[in-house]
Amino acid sequence: MSETTAAVPPTPDFDLSGKVAIVTGASRGIGRAVAHALAAHGARVVLASRKQPGVDAVAAEISAAGGEALAVACHTGHPDEVEALAARVTDHWGGVDLLVNNAATNPHFGPILTSEGSHWDKTYEVNVKGYFHVAKACVPSMRERGGGSIVNVASIAGQVPHRGLGVYSVSKAAVLMLTKVLAAELAGDGIRVNAVAPGLVETSFSRALTENPKIADRARAGIPLGRFGQVEEISGIVLYLLSQAAAFTTGAVMYVDGGQGVGSGG
């Protein structure tokens, strides 16, 4: 037997203690679940959404569970509000380490050629430009603090065309490329940028799809696991990507879609 013993590999580190995390679209659905997950692992969480009462309610939930949360009303499509958000966080907690871009909208459902320019403008304002605005506002603080991590919530619709969701799908494809561009440009600053691309998850945002029997049955048939996702199945992946457990991961897209991207296999 060898006199030397191999060192025991370190266990993955999911601890976020001392980190400040901004989560946009945090008042409900995936954003709310992500905020709770990050707070449960030690992060001080900044909850951003358009309406103050919604983020106030989530902040109260986190506080009741023993976590720390700051609720800030912010429309991420408006650069002045995003700058105010970043300034508020810096004043309150000194800066930003982690960012989850999650706020999204989908004002048009139907064939893409029935959409209007206003649908494209609103969708891109929030789903693409909003992600850019928040990242731009947070990166200077991350640089000052020695690095950081950004997770952009995209969608399987950005990879696989979805009937009736053409404008939304194009916006989410843009998010995937934005993620890769930021990852390439920010790696030298110690800032990792990754994306999570959920499939159909049961939230109020997707209710028009999941609660319509005809649409839901068709969608379910295209998912090899045969069901829709749950918010906690997304928040766990976001936690991983933000944590030191993913320290060697940047520019990646994590598809959490029940296998939808690979087809039904039938």
Side-chain angles (χ1 to χ4, degrees):
M1 185 174 178
S2 172
E3 293 182 2
T4 61
T5 303
V8 176
T11 58
D13 182 7
F14 297 98
D15 183 28
L16 301 180
S17 297
K19 301 295 185 182
V20 176
I22 293 178
V23 181
T24 70
S27 63
R28 58 183 180 173
I30 290 172
R32 174 173 172 260
V34 167
H36 274 278
L38 303 188
H41 285 79
R44 291 175 288 180
V45 183
V46 182
L47 311 163
S49 191
R50 288 189 303 112
K51 298 179 180 179
Q52 189 70 43
V55 284
D56 283 342
V58 179
E61 294 170 357
I62 290 173
S63 296
E68 294 183 78
L70 172 67
V72 182
C74 175
H75 189 310
T76 56
H78 297 168
D80 56 335
E81 294 190 27
V82 172
E83 290 293 339
L85 168 67
R88 175 83 182 279
V89 176
T90 298
D91 289 344
H92 193 78
W93 276 327
V96 182
D97 303 288
L98 312 171
L99 167 62
V100 181
N101 271 319
N102 171 70
T105 189
N106 181 37
H108 179 265
F109 182 78
I112 195 167
L113 293 182
T114 66
S115 65
E116 303 291 341
S118 59
H119 297 132
W120 288 85
D121 292 343
K122 183 174 181 179
T123 302
Y124 262 69
E125 177 187 56
V126 178
N127 296 10
V128 182
K129 293 172 70 176
Y131 282 26
F132 165 76
H133 293 320
V134 184
K136 184 176 182 179
C138 291
V139 162
S141 178
M142 292 181 180
R143 284 178 172 143
E144 290 178 0
R145 292 160 78 90
S149 181
I150 299 171
V151 172
N152 293 325
V153 178
S155 170
I156 183 61
Q159 177 70 23
V160 179
H162 279 48
R163 185 182 303 178
L165 296 175
V167 180
Y168 178 82
S169 295
V170 174
S171 76
K172 289 301 184 178
V175 168
L176 298 180
M177 183 51 67
L178 175 63
T179 298
K180 293 179 181 295
V181 170
L182 289 173
E185 293 187 357
L186 297 177
D189 296 307
I191 299 171
R192 298 182 299 103
V193 188
N194 295 287
V196 174
L200 197 50
V201 177
E202 291 186 294
T203 66
S204 58
F205 185 79
S206 66
R207 188 173 294 148
L209 304 177
T210 60
E211 295 185 0
N212 180 309
K214 184 177 180 180
I215 295 175
D217 288 346
R218 185 174 67 227
R220 214 178 276 112
I223 302 173
L225 290 184
R227 65 176 178 84
F228 302 136
Q230 302 300 314
V231 291
E232 64 271 16
E233 294 170 322
I234 310 304
S235 62
I237 298 296
V238 175
L239 171 65
Y240 161 71
L241 289 173
L242 291 176
S243 74
Q244 279 301 109
F248 198 53
T249 303
T250 196
V253 180
M254 304 288 283
Y255 291 97
V256 191
D257 61 356
Q260 186 178 356
V262 299
S264 63

